[in-house]
Amino acid sequence: MDRYESYYRSLYAAAMAVNSSLDPKLVLKTIVECAAKAMDAKACSLRLLDRSGRQLMPGAGFGLSNKYLRKGPVDLDQSAVDREVLSGRVVQVPDASTDPRFQYGKAAKDEGIVSVLVVPLRVEDKPVGVMRVYTDEKRTFNAEEEEFLTSIAALSALAIENARLHQALKREYESVLSFDYRTFD
């Protein structure tokens, strides 16, 4: 299978996952797995901004150890890479273990991570998180890889927004039902 066929099949699988479930954990796990496999990468992760907008919390991961996934939140004050990405840029990190913009360089080295491609997750024009692809050897990502990961990130943002809207509607519906019961008791 050539690279473009792999991208197409992965986008198809990601779109089907978004369309088939409102469980964000399940959908995002499927998406990060599709992205890592399509790009022939070691791993892929997705981190979401917390309510303060100052930290990125784990959202989904594939190909990474639990130790790495639980290393802690990414603090935007300590991660120039993520500040750049959240401003709307796509960023490549040639060697995460030596790049001072990367917050967890030693943890990346211990995990066997070398190069990283990071793209923003955006809902409309608002940043909500980042998606990263990790390799275990030095790699320069080409324009097609950046475009593919940006497309996958857009699907992820759509899945997150769908789940958020579903939860808001569910809460509103339950509130209306609660009001009816109180009115007619």
Side-chain angles (χ1 to χ4, degrees):
M1 180 171 15
D2 74 11
R3 181 164 289 229
Y4 288 103
E5 183 179 348
S6 176
Y7 289 171
Y8 168 77
R9 291 186 184 278
S10 294
L11 282 169
Y12 177 80
M16 292 300 104
V18 170
N19 196 36
S20 66
S21 175
L22 289 170
D23 179 353
K25 284 187 174 187
L26 176 66
V27 172
L28 296 178
K29 184 167 178 49
T30 300
I31 290 173
V32 294
E33 183 176 350
C34 287
K37 289 180 177 176
M39 294 182 70
D40 195 26
K42 170 184 174 52
C44 182
S45 73
L46 185 147
R47 287 186 169 265
L48 300 172
L49 278 172
D50 70 355
R51 290 183 188 271
S52 74
R54 301 300 319 147
Q55 293 187 329
L56 289 164
M57 307 304 287
F62 172 79
L64 297 168
S65 69
N66 284 335
K67 180 181 177 187
Y68 188 79
L69 288 171
R70 294 182 181 148
K71 65 188 178 305
V74 173
D75 187 340
L76 293 182
D77 290 335
Q78 298 178 38
S79 179
V81 167
D82 292 299
R83 287 194 308 270
E84 287 180 50
V85 172
L86 291 171
S87 73
R89 293 187 55 213
V90 173
V91 174
Q92 292 194 29
V93 179
D95 187 344
S97 68
T98 60
D99 193 319
R101 301 174 302 162
F102 201 80
Q103 182 179 356
Y104 291 102
K106 179 171 179 347
K109 184 176 183 177
D110 293 346
E111 185 72 10
I113 293 169
V114 180
S115 297
V116 185
L117 175 63
V118 191
V119 300
L121 291 175
R122 302 181 78 81
V123 173
E124 296 174 1
D125 284 335
K126 182 181 172 191
V128 297
V130 300
M131 179 174 266
R132 301 173 185 210
V133 165
Y134 309 88
T135 65
D136 56 6
E137 56 189 26
K138 194 165 189 169
R139 179 165 158 185
T140 300
F141 298 94
N142 62 34
E144 289 81 17
E145 290 172 313
E146 289 184 3
E147 187 174 277
F148 169 74
L149 194 61
T150 300
S151 299
I152 286 282
L155 280 172
S156 301
L158 180 64
I160 293 164
E161 184 66 1
N162 281 348
R164 188 188 68 75
L165 291 173
H166 176 73
Q167 288 299 319
L169 284 172
K170 187 176 173 183
R171 281 192 301 273
E172 187 172 314
Y173 176 74
E174 290 169 353
S175 175
V176 168
L177 287 179
S178 173
F179 177 75
D180 282 347
Y181 286 128
R182 281 183 279 153
T183 303
F184 298 110
D185 279 345

